[in-house]
Amino acid sequence: MSTRESVQIPDDRDFNNFRTECNSDAGWSQTYNKSGLVVWIQVLEVERSLHKIKCRMECKDIAADTLYDVLHDIEYRKKWDTNVIETFDIGKLTVNSDVGYYAWKCPKPLKNRDVITLRSWLPTGADYIIMNYSVKHPKYPPRKDLVRAVSIQTGYLIQGRGAKSCSITYLAQVDPKGSLPKWVVNKSSQFLAPKAMKKMYKACLKYPDWKQKHNPHFKPWLFPEQSTLPSVALSELSIQHADSLENIDESSLSETKDDRGEGSDEDSIN
């Protein structure tokens, strides 16, 4: 995905390559293993703390299709994802690909980031894949108040484990644009990533009840004819090359007490 020179919609080979990497152990260093949740990292550039991260969580009492719905449902994400600043769909490309915007809070004192991504999804029997990579859209240039990051490849592999349980693997290679302090990698892999996965798990448990009260039959990721998004032509998009964006040096910043997004999420879903 990272070698593409033009914007293309992923094909079966891309989905298979993503699945293979999710299931591969080669080159990964385990940083966390507790209560059915494992995190690995792969350091790519030591100087900039550039790395890949992979998390795998066993989800008891959650069906694979429920987890798939939760990852797609943008209105629900605004309820449970306390890291989100703003997120919205820009337009659809095909029945299983679209373009979207996501801005998120970074650990203090780092600047917050945002991305524009081309997202594709593929249900295959009991398994599901959702993955994305960064693109440029002429109507959504970088904002002054945020650092435009680059998703080289990010996604989820959901694997069904019978009727009422599944596992999810999250794999991300994101260039945050800039030099990050070393503590960020440790905090991400040992604290922030596990916390985010646990939050997703809790959100999945509450989703069926929430969805019953909020447009229960509206699932355009399953029923594309329901989509009200405008169509986007591939020709409107271009590859977001990391080296074309501004670099910022945050490598000397010290960790501070992070109180952003730390509010209780127990009461945020209703």
Side-chain angles (χ1 to χ4, degrees), residues 85-214:
I85 297 171
E86 185 180 11
T87 184
F88 53 85
D89 297 323
I90 294 170
K92 63 184 174 185
L93 290 160
T94 67
V95 294
N96 71 321
S97 62
D98 62 17
V99 180
Y101 175 85
Y102 183 77
W104 72 96
K105 300 169 189 169
C106 289
K108 278 186 175 179
L110 303 182
K111 290 186 175 180
N112 295 329
R113 261 68 175 175
D114 70 352
V115 285
I116 304 280
T117 60
L118 187 160
R119 185 178 61 150
S120 301
W121 52 94
L122 182 70
T124 55
D127 298 350
Y128 303 86
I129 294 174
I130 303 172
M131 60 187 191
N132 72 57
Y133 68 95
S134 277
V135 293
K136 283 197 281 193
H137 189 290
K139 291 182 181 173
Y140 301 94
R143 291 166 45 169
K144 288 189 169 60
D145 58 327
L146 296 165
V147 176
R148 179 61 50 88
V150 177
S151 168
I152 296 163
Q153 183 176 56
T154 302
Y156 301 91
L157 168 64
I158 304 166
Q159 296 175 291
R161 305 268 195 253
K164 287 226 172 161
S165 64
C166 64
S167 73
I168 179 167
T169 304
Y170 167 71
L171 175 65
Q173 182 179 351
V174 176
D175 189 332
K177 288 317 296 170
S179 300
L180 296 176
K182 299 286 184 282
W183 60 261
V184 170
V185 179
N186 295 331
K187 185 165 186 173
S188 295
S189 62
Q190 296 172 21
F191 176 70
L192 296 176
K195 183 180 175 186
M197 297 292 275
K198 289 171 190 169
K199 191 167 288 186
M200 183 195 303
Y201 177 80
K202 286 182 183 176
C204 290
L205 293 173
K206 295 180 179 183
Y207 182 69
D209 286 343
W210 180 90
K211 189 61 177 169
Q212 276 300 315
K213 302 173 197 166
H214 299 83

Side-chain angles (χ1 to χ4, degrees), residues 11-27:
D11 56 21
D12 287 347
R13 184 180 56 185
D14 295 314
F15 282 108
N16 286 334
N17 288 344
F18 180 78
R19 177 192 292 271
T20 298
E21 187 162 12
C22 282
N23 290 326
S24 169
D25 294 327

